[in-house]
Amino acid sequence: MNAEALPHALLILLVEFTIGGVWVLVMAQARGHAAESFVKFGAVQNVVAAVAAFWIAAAVSIGNDVDGYPLDAEWMGEARWALGAVFALTTLHAVATVRGQRPAALVLGGAASVAGLIAMGFFAQVFSLPTWGFALTFTSLVVGALAVGAVSMGMTLGHWYLVTPRLPEQPLREMTGFLLI
């Protein structure tokens, strides 16, 4: 890999980490079996990831190609706006979660999840030219986000058990099973 492509790879990884983290956390939050302290921590963790992803998206210059591979730079503006919406909604979700406003948190988490799916669509359009086309690039980003989200939230929850070993096992088993699927 050429060093010119590293910021783009970091951008994709942070987008998947952020959006996948939101998806997996909102699923766990909706199920209602995960410890409230973990859900609050995960919501704040997702905000930090969203800040990093949005900052990198704003800083990375997307041209018509990177290392000889063509990119569709026309869609990057929309991708940045959608990622900004993910950042804003993730922040609101975290505030509602920390305040214990579960219904509002679930609505905001759902909205952040939808905004994340839209952002993935725009990023798939940007990076689809040198790959398999839009549909498979989009699928790859979604599957990658789910895997990275399940790993990051599952690892965080797994470490939560080290602090509070009497937590119910079901949420960790669900996240691990989700990752395996």
Side-chain angles (χ1 to χ4, degrees):
M1 175 186 287
N2 187 325
E4 182 184 354
L6 287 176
H8 301 83
L10 177 62
L11 174 62
I12 291 170
L13 179 64
L14 284 173
V15 166
E16 288 179 341
F17 177 71
T18 300
I19 296 169
V22 169
W23 290 343
V24 172
L25 182 67
V26 169
M27 282 189 277
Q29 189 176 22
R31 301 262 308 143
H33 301 296
E36 188 177 330
S37 57
F38 162 73
V39 174
K40 289 178 180 180
F41 180 84
V44 173
Q45 176 183 324
N46 286 338
V47 171
V48 172
V51 167
F54 186 65
W55 180 65
I56 294 296
V60 169
S61 175
I62 301 290
N64 291 328
D65 74 278
V66 62
D67 195 25
Y69 293 97
L71 300 176
D72 194 351
E74 293 179 25
W75 291 95
M76 195 57 196
E78 287 85 352
R80 286 184 180 118
W81 277 104
L83 197 56
V86 170
F87 164 62
L89 290 166
T90 300
T91 302
L92 293 172
H93 170 253
V95 168
T97 299
V98 169
R99 288 185 174 176
Q101 300 168 333
R102 189 172 192 277
L106 290 175
V107 168
L108 290 164
S113 297
V114 170
L117 195 63
I118 292 167
M120 288 269 178
F122 288 129
F123 279 105
Q125 189 63 42
V126 171
F127 295 106
S128 66
L129 292 177
T131 58
W132 316 289
F134 174 81
L136 290 177
T137 302
F138 178 72
T139 302
S140 174
L141 288 172
V142 168
V143 169
L146 289 170
V148 172
V151 165
S152 63
M153 286 296 143
M155 290 296 289
T156 302
L157 183 57
H159 285 84
W160 219 258
Y161 284 87
L162 297 175
V163 176
T164 312
R166 292 187 191 119
L167 292 173
E169 295 177 10
Q170 184 178 1
L172 184 60
R173 288 180 189 209
E174 287 175 354
M175 280 188 202
T176 304
F178 179 76
L179 174 63
L180 292 174
I181 290 171

